[in-house]
Amino acid sequence: LSEKSLAHRTESASKRPGLDDVRRALPERAALLAYVRYHDLSAGRSPGSGTGRPGSPGSAEKRFAESSTHEPCYAAFFADGGNTDPRLLRIGSSQEVDDLVASAYREISTPGASPTDADPEAESRYREAAARLREIVWDPVADLLDGYEKVFVVPDGALHFVNLAALPTGPDGYLVDSGPMIHYLSAERDLVFPMSRSSPAPELLALGAPDFDLPLDSTRASVRREREPDSAGRGGRFRGGRSPCLEFQSIQFEPLPGTGDEVRAIAGFWSGSVIDRSTAAGSERRGEARILIGPSATEAQFMRAAPGKRVIHLATHGFFISGQCLAPGPRLRGIGGLSGASTSSEPSWSENTLRLAGLALSGSNHRNAAGEGEEDGILTAEEIAAMGLEGTEWAVLSACGTGLGEVRRSEGVVGLRRAFRVAGVGTTIMSLWSVEDKATLEWMQELYESRLARGKTTIEAVHDAARNTLNARRASGRSTHPFYWASFVAAGDWR
């Protein structure tokens, strides 16, 4: 970790905020909804069991043994910033919830044989699968949330892979139409201790359309310069370990010319909209945008340019290798990704998970030819976590499955979202499944217009992007399947 990021995390951990601190940190008309996966010790317990006096010999061991044998369940904790008493509700068994999440995820992430509008039944199948999930995880708390504008959600287990805004309501609506704005947190304390901001200049770094076939000889010189002693001793962190997964070693990333149009459009909008008012009185500086595209979209260029930027936008192939490495091969689609998404609540991989998630940059199709310590075109979550990105407000990961990772009990999802958080980024905007090229561009344009032109907060901008994209598709007669408008969620600082 960088020194600033480590100091911030240590300070936050040492303060250990309580419930009262969290409630005071909630903005007006906002509520907290925290899901937790736990073991129900009462399930199946025989009369008189588990009644040992607390602190008596063996009582702790007995409770631990019971927790590993009784039924795992989900519960939901509700609190607000006012005088309403907190509530804890049992949601259902882990098996039931996880199965419902898996069923809904299959339908939302693959609308038919291909991600086109050609399958009119795809949305109906999703709505049917997701309606039961809504009944289990949302309906029990809906009355408690009535009247709140914002809901901060701390997910657990398989619920990390659900966009609650995409749950169906009524005959043809979704929660994004009528429900509160939803923002995700890694933990409740994120409300009390958001990532520190150093107020960098209003600069954007936008990377897209990497040249995946770029010969590595074209990138090695820049990597070696990054590893020279004058890089403040950080050169040794430049290269993370490589995954031995044979499936990943054999994949070839396809060109993504549409992502070049995306970053150019966003950079142009940024330069025309963002004004830095932190300069001397009476002077204003228009926001600057730097684009890394084609052969310039390398690891070395990104690592050199990213620190100090207010927003980092990455449009490329994303991947997460889950489950057994030699299981079925990769899925490549639209903006792309290698993904074996698993909605299981249990971890299934023993390798360093931060090496199993990442982004493909220029030269990545020749990664197997890279020597030790040389750039291979793969920017892993492990490498991102070692960067110093304090002060960066947004990391927008416009790629497939960038919100995926390994779910670890009490730790959340370990993958790209964790990596950018550790690096110091305030908010990560990421996708939960494969994303389609044109739909993603439309969503991103709505996101930046809401943030920059209308000055909305993160929670408002993400909500507006989803709802406006959905309404535009309705108006034009296109499919309103959530695949096209609900893939992206935000986690971190809501402001």
Side-chain angles (χ1 to χ4, degrees), residues 429-467:
I429 298 173
M430 57 209 166
S431 62
L432 297 179
W433 53 82
S434 296
V435 292
E436 192 267 337
D437 202 356
K438 183 178 180 181
T440 299
L441 176 57
E442 294 174 354
W443 194 95
M444 290 296 170
Q445 288 175 325
E446 291 286 349
L447 175 74
Y448 282 98
E449 182 175 353
S450 181
R451 178 70 162 181
L452 303 178
R454 297 193 288 272
K456 297 293 187 72
T457 61
T458 296
I459 187 174
E460 292 168 336
V462 172
H463 178 80
D464 286 354
R467 187 175 58 182

Side-chain angles (χ1 to χ4, degrees), residues 27 30 45 123 195 230 240 249 255 288 314 338 351 360 375 431 487 489:
R45 179 178 294 176
E123 188 171 0
M195 297 300 288
D230 61 2
Q249 292 177 21
E288 296 179 357
L314 292 155
L338 168 62
E351 188 186 353
E375 179 175 3
S431 62
S487 176
V489 297

Side-chain angles (χ1 to χ4, degrees), residues 128-374:
E128 181 179 357
R132 179 56 180 159
L133 177 62
R134 189 208 66 238
E135 292 172 2
I136 295 294
V137 303
W138 184 264
D139 288 359
V141 300
D143 288 343
L144 293 174
L145 299 174
D146 187 38
Y148 293 95
E149 287 183 345
K150 304 178 181 70
V151 175
F152 297 94
V153 176
V154 182
D156 199 5
L159 295 175
H160 280 286
F161 307 122
V162 176
N163 184 351
L164 295 171
L167 293 177
T169 60
D172 56 7
Y174 291 95
L175 198 59
V176 72
D177 291 309
S178 56
M181 293 179 281
I182 295 171
H183 185 81
Y184 293 90
L185 305 171
S186 300
E188 295 84 349
R189 65 178 177 270
D190 291 349
L191 284 169
V192 182
F193 300 121
M195 297 300 288
S196 60
R197 295 184 178 183
S198 57
S199 299
E203 296 179 354
L204 165 80
L205 175 64
L207 180 150
D211 182 356
F212 303 116
D213 290 321
L214 182 71
L216 290 180
D217 286 342
S218 302
T219 67
R220 283 175 178 162
S222 60
V223 176
R224 287 173 182 147
R225 284 196 296 271
E226 289 293 301
R227 293 174 54 84
E228 289 175 356
D230 61 2
S231 60
R234 297 176 64 92
R237 302 184 192 180
F238 184 84
R239 281 281 308 133
R242 297 179 188 173
S243 171
C245 176
L246 297 180
E247 290 284 352
F248 181 67
Q249 292 177 21
S250 63
I251 192 67
Q252 291 289 292
F253 294 101
E254 296 296 323
L256 298 172
T259 61
D261 296 335
E262 177 179 328
V263 298
R264 291 187 188 96
I266 290 169
F269 190 72
W270 177 274
S271 298
S273 301
V274 179
I275 296 177
D276 179 16
R277 293 182 174 86
S278 63
T279 57
S283 64
E284 295 183 343
R285 185 162 64 89
R286 188 68 62 172
E288 296 179 357
R290 179 175 179 185
I291 295 177
L292 298 179
I293 199 167
S296 67
T298 65
E299 285 183 85
Q301 293 269 36
F302 172 77
M303 289 188 168
R304 188 162 46 238
K309 297 297 186 291
R310 181 171 295 180
V311 170
I312 297 171
H313 186 99
L314 292 155
T316 182
H317 285 292
F319 65 86
F320 171 65
I321 307 168
S322 69
Q324 296 301 314
C325 178
L326 297 179
R331 295 181 300 149
L332 292 173
R333 180 178 298 153
I335 287 183
L338 168 62
S339 163
S342 170
T343 54
S344 170
S345 297
E346 301 296 339
S348 57
W349 190 267
S350 59
E351 188 186 353
N352 181 350
T353 309
L354 292 180
R355 297 178 185 175
L356 303 177
L359 300 159
L361 304 185
S362 293
S364 56
N365 281 345
H366 299 291
R367 58 192 174 278
N368 296 329
E372 183 66 26
E374 293 181 333

